[in-house]
Amino acid sequence: MSRAATTPTTSTAGATDNDTHTGTRTLRTTRVRRGASVLTGATLLASALTVATFPTSAHAAAPVPAGTGTGKYVALGDSYAAGAGVPGQSAGLCLRSDHNYGHLVAAALAPSSYTDKTCAGAKVSALTTSQTDAGMVVNGPQLDAVTSDTSLITLTLGGNNLGTSDVGFVDVVVACSALSVTNPFGSPCRDFYGDTLSKRLDSATAQLTDGLRKLSAKAPKAKVVVVGYPSVLPEDPKTCFGKLPATSDDLRFLRSVMDELNEKVAKAAGAAGATYVDTVGPTKGHDSCSSNRWIEGILPTSPAAPLHPNATGERVMAEAVLRSLGR
């Protein structure tokens, strides 16, 4: 998608229909980008205010006792794995919570050691390259935390590859929200993206498969558990009326994108010999438009990043991981 912005073509003598169409489309794209930029900023601000508004002191830290239930456990992944916005937060811009699903799994398993390398904004490339912000390193390569004697690895990655910014799927949702005003009864978001998101997921799937194989090569005895994304959006878009500014058709489209994301993440896990854990089923009916949310909306009402699991959502994801481990 081009970032170019031009003055809209006006109807003048000698101007062709194609000239006029091109200018109008360019103006439309520019307006969408400006609208999306404003919405993205508002969303990130809402996330920051949510973290600041809800005191972390009210939430006791999930203890991670040293033990011998498993060997060394390493948690990797993006904001869904980090528990972005869920108290208590640490690791700066990584928005890492001590109530994310990794911490809760570790508390149940009592591993000999636990390392949390999760970080908000992580794309698949974060497995092997550092995450940076304004030229400063936010989080080193996540793969560095894995050693030959690691026995358990959990990971959630791929969602941020959907967007051009570090907020991934949220980036797409805010773009769709901006587009909804251009055609309130149609599917402007689906029309705008076409097959772009599918192509991004195909690329992310190949990268993730390669990254998972590198994990296994580095820790050949480790059980690798790839945790899917939860039920962010409902099956029935009507439940989002007044809660999420996107058309009904585009909400169906966005739901299909999340379904495709999980399908391709599961495919990557299978290709690399890892275990895939579904979290859509366990969180069904508690999406961002539900009256009993485990996944927060664009404007969170419980401490969590927009369109991300709150503390209950992280706990349910942890329970799904533990079931996959026979616990």
Side-chain angles (χ1 to χ4, degrees), residues 91-94 119-121 129-141 166:
L93 292 177
C94 282
C119 192
T129 60
S130 294
Q131 283 178 251
T132 60
D133 184 81
M136 296 183 65
V137 174
V138 174
N139 201 37
D166 287 342

Side-chain angles (χ1 to χ4, degrees), residues 34-325:
R34 287 174 179 169
S37 296
V38 171
L39 284 167
T40 300
T43 300
L44 294 175
L45 177 60
S47 178
L49 289 175
T50 299
V51 174
T53 302
F54 294 91
T56 61
S57 59
H59 298 257
V64 182
T68 57
T70 64
K72 293 184 177 180
Y73 170 27
V74 177
L76 310 176
D78 58 21
S79 51
Y80 283 77
V86 177
Q89 292 282 292
S90 65
L93 292 177
C94 282
L95 302 179
R96 195 177 295 153
S97 171
D98 63 8
H99 275 71
N100 62 29
Y101 74 73
H103 268 81
L104 300 178
V105 168
L109 296 180
S112 58
S113 69
Y114 172 62
T115 302
D116 188 347
K117 195 68 173 175
T118 60
C119 192
K123 297 190 177 186
V124 177
S125 59
L127 285 173
T128 55
T129 60
S130 294
Q131 283 178 251
T132 60
D133 184 81
M136 296 183 65
V137 174
V138 174
N139 201 37
Q142 296 194 17
L143 202 60
D144 287 358
V146 177
T147 56
S148 60
D149 58 346
T150 299
S151 60
L152 175 65
I153 301 168
T154 56
L155 174 150
T156 299
L157 276 174
N160 285 329
N161 289 66
L162 281 166
T164 54
S165 75
D166 287 342
V167 293
F169 182 66
V170 177
D171 184 27
V172 175
V173 172
V174 295
C176 290
S177 298
L179 283 160
S180 66
V181 299
T182 67
N183 186 4
F185 302 104
S187 54
C189 182
R190 183 180 62 195
D191 297 342
F192 182 76
Y193 279 110
D195 63 354
T196 298
L197 300 180
S198 287
K199 289 180 177 178
R200 289 177 184 172
L201 286 178
D202 286 339
S203 176
T205 301
Q207 292 178 54
L208 183 57
T209 302
D210 180 63
L212 290 171
R213 286 173 176 158
K214 288 177 179 176
L215 278 179
S216 295
K218 195 168 184 184
K221 295 181 181 179
K223 182 174 182 62
V224 181
V225 179
V226 178
V227 184
Y229 291 86
S231 185
V232 177
L233 296 172
E235 293 177 343
D236 182 4
K238 290 196 252 344
T239 62
C240 289
F241 182 75
K243 299 174 183 177
L244 196 61
T247 71
S248 291
D249 284 347
D250 279 341
L251 285 169
R252 291 189 186 92
F253 167 67
L254 289 170
R255 168 76 188 213
S256 73
V257 169
M258 289 301 293
D259 288 344
E260 184 180 359
L261 167 63
N262 277 323
E263 288 169 6
K264 290 183 174 177
V265 168
K267 179 182 177 182
T275 298
Y276 176 77
V277 174
D278 168 66
T279 63
V280 171
T283 56
K284 183 178 180 180
H286 299 279
D287 53 78
S288 61
C289 295
S290 167
S291 59
N292 183 17
R293 297 177 184 172
W294 296 348
I295 315 299
E296 289 300 317
I298 282 287
L299 296 177
T301 56
S302 293
L307 302 178
H308 280 66
N310 54 31
T312 301
E314 290 288 333
R315 176 176 57 76
V316 171
M317 292 175 76
E319 290 169 353
V321 173
L322 289 167
R323 281 194 297 273
S324 76
L325 297 173

